[in-house]
Amino acid sequence: MMSPAGASGLPAKPLQPASTHISAAEIAEEFSHHHPSVARLNNGSFGSCPASVSAAQLRWQRLFLRQPDEFYFHHLKPGILCSRALVRDLINAVDIEEISLVDNATTAVAIVLQHASWSFAEGAFRKGDAVVIFQHAYPAVKKAIHAYIARSGGHVIEVPLAFPVSSDEEIIREFCNALDRAKAEGRRVRLAVICHVTSMPSVVIPVKELTAICREAGVDQVFVDGAHSIGNVKVDVQDIGADFYTSNFHKWFFCPPSAAFLYAQKAPTSPPLHHPVVSHEYGNGLPTESSWIGTRDYSSQLVVPSAMEFISRFEGGIEGIQERNHESVVKMGKMLADAWETLLGSPPGMCSSMIMVGLPNCLGVSSETDALSLRSLLREEFKVEVPVYFHPEEDKNHGVTTGYVRISHQVYNVEDEYYRLRDAVLKLVQDGITCSMILSE
Amino acid sequence: MAESSSPAALTLALTSQPSVPGMDPHHQDDCPENGLGRGNGETNGPPAKRSRPTPPLSPITAAEIAEEFSHHDLSVARINNGSFGSCPGSVLSAQAVWQRLFLRQPDAFYFNHLQPGLLRSRAIVKDLINAADIDEVSLVDNATTAAAIVLQHVSWAFSEGVFHKGDAVVMLHYAYGAVKKSIHAYVARAGGHVIEVPLPFPVSSNEEIIREFRKALDLGKANGRRVRLAVIDHVTSMPSVVIPVKELTKICRQEGVDQVFVDAAHAIGNVEVDVQDIDADFYTSNLHKWFFCPPSVAFLHSKKCSSSAPCLHHPVVSQEYGKGLPLESAWIGTRDYSSQLVVPSVIDFVNRFDGGILGIRTRNHDKVVEMGMMLAQAWGTFLGSPPEMCCSMIMVALPGSLGVSSEKDALKLRSLLREEYRVEVPIHYHRPKDIEAGRQNGHSGVTGYVRISYQVYNTVDDYYRLRDAVHKLVNDGFNCGMLPSK
């Protein structure tokens, strides 16, 4: 018989020896399942999960397989509630009823946008009412806007993001311009979808300021897509003041794929949010709806406490991790920019645990296809994993950097990995390799 | 085992690759880059006919089966395979290999392994269900998700004026609770009129079901109304009965029903599934219930988007939006797709049995009928339907003296059986209105039924334990009214 689950519904785990902070050797052990010969500089895309959290996940999975009915009636709900309570505290929400657990930010976006879609269908919003998004919003989010907003008759306004960017003011100015455009066209702005940390190119957006601007301008609702945020930048939902906020736990918060939260400020006047996958819990509030969307593996949502335990082994907890990641990635970014004689995509103050570093122009990144093939080449020939961003030239302004790498720093990274990237790019430059050569092979 | 997206190589991958990625992870990561690595729905040459087994030289033994399911709580008489399914150890091991492959180098996984793996699973499902084209097969989390996909499409049709307010959607009274809520959330909310087909229970023939269904369609078409969608279960959940879906679908076509959605959550691995023969517009079934997959994975069969067939969309929108439901469903953001990737490993497992999946479900059916009759005889009660209207599950009436007088009682009795007798079996409460009809058929006093399942890991002893538990309760004069009200 398995060890009985505790009051919180968590399966018991082996006792840990008392220790101070986690050591470098222990960190390496926790991530020893990573491919040993890959310079893994892309934590941003798919995240990472330490072995101790994976082990906790396995215990939950085994608990279900052992006696699923018992799991469903006795363990699942308390476990989800426990995770939600921790999230509430983590992000400084007021009430646990504001916290739902979902698969990922992509799902959270579908929830919020389907809600807006119903508002159009049911006449609460009128055709032509506007939704504001960033031009550099994540591609999936842009498609969701098309699928739910444009399809319903909503008007989409895109806010351009200057890149490279040098100050918050540039971003705020463009955002205000977009709101002014809406006003000039006599459009009511029903929803603003604001990234907290953009994906490609990656920049930290001043969401608190933008949310305040939205309130002043009479925007109905603000939705912050913080997919990269939790564990990467500070998240205080009361301080930011948005209506909805989502972030993925599997990117920077050491959870297995996949788990995310959707925060929804309690708003008695608006119709409730619903999970698009409807179960018998429909109508019991989004948190409860999301906690049961049919038989599936909920274990990645149940290990949030285990992820927090892992984090607590680090000096300064998650803040300490965030700070050190940020410092390291800035240091490595500058090292690369110096070595390649290029530039950073934004000042350090506008970066998180990721930073954009310009690639030498002679590599000739002139399209998204080029960027992908260069990324593949780096993966296969040099065993360096790093996403490559293609930045279109404006007005064919020659000399403008068109290719960037987005480097990440997470606790498992070591400096040698960045030197390998440095040297790989220097070699390509030395050998006169261009992206058009890679494609023609 | 080089993978690439060239046609010859893809065929090779489908036919000769082992069911799990190579055990040499270093070699896997050295696979040549295959560009975007996206399966785009094309198959080149017939995929492996893995679902038709050659008879195993020596079928799996009882001891091996016990080993495969040794992770079950062995002190529990587990006679509820229907609710949450089951997954053998060898498939769980295969799943772990996929999960570790992702964790090891997720970018390489995303670009090189995920789409070919999903395509392979889809190809197997296509053969399993006799679909005409792999583009008709999407993999989703579960039937609940499939229902949301179909019903969201109906909702758009109402919003966009393709359907008109008051147009009807027909569903069975015994439709699964989640599906009923989904119909409310998407159809009723959008202005559709919902009609429930009452089903007799206990039921004794397909004709009874067909008769009620026709009446409901007439109601749906009353006052010149259109019936836009019929949602028909293939195997109802509670109470569990096999519905004549082929006949009902034909009637729908005859009566001008626009579209038919068969919710066959329980079907695959349990009853025969031939989607061309049934000829519905949409058909979904869970692979984790009776097809040995881990939680959770299901398929949704739907015709390719065209002028005559609607474009379904996954409600979770990714950058794959607009490329057809199979591709949309193959990437809905970062998550664990491993349960969808182990379908080939499940085929390996079922092929170890005499007769493969057909052999398994035939034997399951025979055994559950045998056990059902044993219980009915022991308790002096009866079966909820004749054996030919059952699958690997059967409803057995509980002695009336137990006094199951509400759904709450049914749940509490179920908990009692779990906690005191370590028997896991779901209980169905039979409402008073139905009891009146029952009384006329000589079924007086019965208000509760157990739904027993039989899967390869079950033994007759599981059912004797249920028999004896109920006997004891009856002998002790137990009545649900005695249970605490909390």
Side-chain angles (χ1 to χ4, degrees), chain A residues 1 32-38 40 42 45-49 54 57-58 61-62 64-70 72-74 103-104 106-111 114-115 117-119 121-122 127 138-149 151-152 248 250-251 256-259 271-272 274-284 292-298 372 375-377 379-380 383-387, chain B residues 25-26 29-36 70-76 78 80 83-87 92-93 95 99-100 102-108 110-112 141-142 144-145 148 152-153 155-157 159-160 176-179 181-187 189-190 288-289 294-297 311 313-323 331-337 411 414-415 418-419 422 424-426:
Chain A
M1 179 85 177
S32 57
H33 55 278
H34 286 189
H35 196 307
S37 57
V38 171
R40 188 168 166 141
N42 186 22
S45 283
F46 301 104
S48 48
C49 182
S54 292
Q57 182 187 28
L58 189 62
Q61 288 169 336
R62 291 282 151 171
F64 173 85
L65 293 167
R66 183 175 166 78
Q67 218 296 42
D69 303 67
E70 166 121 16
Y72 174 78
F73 285 108
H74 295 300
D103 276 352
N104 44 40
T106 307
T107 305
V109 167
I111 290 171
Q114 187 180 49
H115 175 261
S117 179
W118 275 117
S119 295
E122 293 174 332
K127 290 212 190 313
Y138 193 60
V141 176
K142 293 184 110 175
K143 291 272 183 172
I145 295 267
H146 171 77
Y148 283 112
I149 303 299
R151 186 174 181 183
S152 302
N248 286 323
H250 52 267
K251 278 192 190 290
S258 64
H274 289 291
H275 199 290
V277 177
V278 177
S279 76
H280 64 269
E281 298 289 359
Y282 181 80
N284 292 335
W292 185 257
I293 50 172
T295 299
R296 52 203 306 276
D297 183 351
Y298 294 89
L372 259 175
R375 176 177 182 177
S376 301
L377 183 76
R379 180 185 307 120
E380 273 133 44
K383 306 204 89 54
V384 171
E385 187 62 59
V386 68
Chain B
H26 292 281
D29 292 331
D30 289 338
C31 293
E33 171 62 35
N34 62 352
L36 293 172
S70 57
H71 55 276
H72 286 189
D73 184 339
L74 300 178
S75 67
V76 171
R78 186 170 166 143
N80 185 23
S83 284
F84 301 105
S86 48
C87 184
L92 293 173
S93 298
Q95 184 186 27
Q99 288 168 331
R100 283 197 294 270
F102 174 86
L103 293 171
R104 185 175 170 79
Q105 219 296 42
D107 301 70
Y110 173 78
F111 285 108
N112 299 350
D141 275 353
N142 44 40
T144 305
T145 304
Q152 189 182 50
H153 147 70
S155 182
W156 277 117
S159 302
E160 294 174 330
Y176 192 58
V179 174
K181 293 263 182 171
S182 207
I183 290 175
H184 171 78
Y186 284 112
V187 176
R189 186 174 180 183
H288 53 264
K289 276 192 191 289
S296 67
V297 49
C311 291
H313 290 290
H314 199 290
V316 178
V317 176
S318 76
Q319 72 265 26
E320 303 297 324
Y321 181 81
K323 296 183 184 173
W331 185 256
I332 50 173
T334 298
R335 50 202 308 273
D336 184 349
Y337 294 88
L411 259 175
R414 176 179 180 176
S415 299
R418 179 186 309 118
E419 274 137 47
R422 305 198 69 66
E424 188 62 57
V425 68

Side-chain angles (χ1 to χ4, degrees), chain B residues 260-313:
Chain B
V260 178
F261 170 33
V262 176
D263 173 9
H266 280 272
I268 193 83
N270 192 2
V271 296
E272 195 197 338
V273 176
D274 182 333
V275 293
Q276 291 193 64
D277 190 49
I278 293 166
D279 196 33
D281 296 90
F282 317 111
Y283 188 106
T284 185
S285 188
N286 285 326
L287 292 153
H288 53 264
K289 276 192 191 289
W290 295 93
F291 210 74
F292 304 107
C293 283
S296 67
V297 49
F299 70 83
L300 171 56
H301 174 260
S302 57
K303 301 274 165 60
K304 270 175 80 165
C305 174
S306 71
S307 53
S308 52
C311 291
L312 296 181
H313 290 290

Side-chain angles (χ1 to χ4, degrees), chain A residues 15 74 205 250 326 392 427:
Chain A
L15 287 174
H74 295 300
I205 304 289
H250 52 267
H326 171 75
K427 184 167 200 317

